[in-house]
């Protein structure tokens, strides 16, 4: 009888151990299966912003030399220098690393320059005096950009977009188009024949632009909006501004009436940017 009880106890212990091994094995199998079918979903931080930028154009540029020359040919007035330009833009950013973000966007510069009602007397170096009813010298610019932003303090994340003041450095490269409207009576220079065309159309050109700057973001605590502010320097020089007449001859602006005085529309300078930014994750 005692032997029989020992055999039963041993059998019960063996069955219990086998059940535990079987349970662990099933659990491991399920875990391995779940790992195989599990798709890791990594959220990325991104943002969208609307911005306003004030550009302070360098005073030492070809346009201002051109304005000085033309002003001597306009006895009743002076052609003002280029000083400031306002820009509106939209940008989108997405994180590529924990502190690094890639951006794309576009910007439109509001028309700037001179548009004054006359009449004014315009006396070019070669030619008779002409009456100018509308003294126009206006520039329009637009472009697309891409760049990188690196947060050096309090970087936002997908789980916590922004919990206080952050600081960043940024760099962008862009491609821009400029259109420059001048009064029709301006005596331009035809580079192909060295003769003037009396009627002007829009002088146009394209150029790359580069910006380096620093900035920061701060949460505004409504609708998940944030205030962004940045300062930097932009290099943007249109050295190919021209138009082409019916003979496909290049017509350009000069500040001395000769081809070596061709005006580069240099809009480089410091800029300050303010933006409303909203972070989100996907």
């Amino acid at each position: 009888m005692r032997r029989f009880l020992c055999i039963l106890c041993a059998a019960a212990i063996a069955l219990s151990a086998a059940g535990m091994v079987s349970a662990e094995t099933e659990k491991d199998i399920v875990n391995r299966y779940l790992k195989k079918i599990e798709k890791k979903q990594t959220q990325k931080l991104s943002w969208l912003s609307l911005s306003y930028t004030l550009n302070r154009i360098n005073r030492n540029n070809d346009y201002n030399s051109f304005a000085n020359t033309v002003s001597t040919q306009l006895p009743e007035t002076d052609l003002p220098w280029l000083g400031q330009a306002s820009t509106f833009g939209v940008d989108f950013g997405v994180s590529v690393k924990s502190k690094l973000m890639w951006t794309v966007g576009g910007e439109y510069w509001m028309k700037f320059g001179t548009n004054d009602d006359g009449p004014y007397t315009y006396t070019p170096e070669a030619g008779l005096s002409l009456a100018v009813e509308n003294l126009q010298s206006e520039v329009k610019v637009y472009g697309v950009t891409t760049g990188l932003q690196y947060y050096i303090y309090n970087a936002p994340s997908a789980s916590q977009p922004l919990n206080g003041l952050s600081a960043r450095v940024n760099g962008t490269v862009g491609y821009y188009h400029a259109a420059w409207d001048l009064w029709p009576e301006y005596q331009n220079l035809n580079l192909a024949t060295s003769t003037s065309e009396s009627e002007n159309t829009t002088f146009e050109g394209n150029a790359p632009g580069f910006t380096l700057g620093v900035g920061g973001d701060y949460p505004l605590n409504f609708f998940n909006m944030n205030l962004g502010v940045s300062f930097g320097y932009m290099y943007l020089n249109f050295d190919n501004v021209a138009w082409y007449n019916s003979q496909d001859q290049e017509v350009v602006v000069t500040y001395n009436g000769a081809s070596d005085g061709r005006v580069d529309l240099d809009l480089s300078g410091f800029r300050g940017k303010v933006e409303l930014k909203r972070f989100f994750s996907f």
Side-chain angles (χ1 to χ4, degrees):
M1 185 66 179
R2 183 179 299 173
R3 180 181 298 177
F4 179 72
L5 291 175
C6 290
I7 293 172
L8 286 178
C9 290
I13 293 172
L15 288 174
S16 177
M20 292 177 63
V21 171
S22 176
E24 288 181 357
T25 302
E26 290 176 359
K27 184 177 180 180
D28 291 341
I29 293 173
V30 171
N31 287 338
R32 284 196 298 269
Y33 177 75
L34 290 176
K35 287 181 180 179
K36 288 182 179 180
I37 65 172
E38 180 182 7
K39 293 183 179 179
K40 295 183 179 181
Q41 297 180 351
T42 303
Q43 284 191 327
K44 284 187 174 294
L45 177 70
S46 56
W47 53 263
L48 185 68
S49 72
L50 299 174
S51 63
Y52 168 79
T53 303
L54 182 64
N55 302 275
R56 183 68 175 92
I57 300 170
N58 294 339
R59 294 191 175 189
N60 183 20
N61 61 62
D62 286 355
Y63 181 96
N64 293 342
S65 298
F66 160 76
N68 289 340
T69 300
V70 171
S71 294
T72 64
Q73 302 165 359
L74 295 165
E76 297 97 347
T77 188
D78 290 329
L79 187 66
W81 287 9
L82 290 184
Q84 296 179 346
S86 296
T87 306
F88 292 94
V90 58
D91 292 285
F92 171 78
V94 61
S95 62
V96 293
K97 287 188 177 181
S98 60
K99 297 182 179 181
L100 184 66
M101 303 197 76
W102 170 61
T103 68
V104 293
E107 58 182 65
Y108 177 80
W109 297 41
M110 298 297 291
K111 188 183 298 184
F112 59 101
T114 304
N115 193 339
D116 294 331
D117 291 331
Y120 297 111
T121 302
Y122 169 54
T123 308
E125 292 183 2
L128 300 175
S129 296
L130 302 170
V132 176
E133 295 299 327
N134 180 246
L135 184 63
Q136 181 186 26
S137 179
E138 291 185 306
V139 180
K140 294 177 291 186
V141 178
Y142 60 85
V144 293
T145 64
T146 185
L148 293 173
Q149 292 187 354
Y150 183 80
Y151 282 86
I152 56 177
Y153 173 74
N154 195 26
S157 64
S159 60
Q160 179 61 59
L162 202 63
N163 59 4
L165 180 65
S166 67
R168 51 183 162 79
V169 294
N170 57 272
T172 62
V173 58
Y175 190 71
Y176 294 84
H177 177 81
W180 183 8
D181 293 320
L182 281 171
W183 65 98
E185 297 83 5
Y186 166 69
Q187 282 203 356
N188 50 53
L189 181 65
N190 188 319
L191 289 183
T193 63
S194 295
T195 59
S196 292
E197 294 281 337
S198 59
E199 293 295 330
N200 290 314
T201 185
T202 301
F203 297 81
E204 297 183 272
N206 301 299
F210 308 91
T211 302
L212 292 175
V214 297
D217 301 313
Y218 188 79
L220 297 178
N221 297 323
F222 68 90
F223 300 112
N224 294 324
M225 300 300 294
N226 303 270
L227 176 67
V229 177
S230 59
F231 301 93
Y233 186 85
M234 180 181 196
Y235 175 82
L236 179 60
N237 184 21
F238 297 91
D239 58 6
N240 59 352
V241 177
W243 64 276
Y244 296 84
N245 62 17
S246 58
Q247 290 78 39
D248 200 31
Q249 296 168 335
E250 190 178 26
V251 181
V252 302
V253 180
T254 72
Y255 56 79
N256 62 0
S259 59
D260 62 354
R262 177 172 179 161
V263 174
D264 292 348
L265 196 58
D266 189 355
L267 305 181
S268 303
F270 289 95
R271 54 180 6 203
K273 182 176 182 180
V274 178
E275 57 186 330
L276 280 177
K277 178 183 295 186
R278 191 179 192 279
F279 289 96
F280 57 94
S281 301
F282 68 93

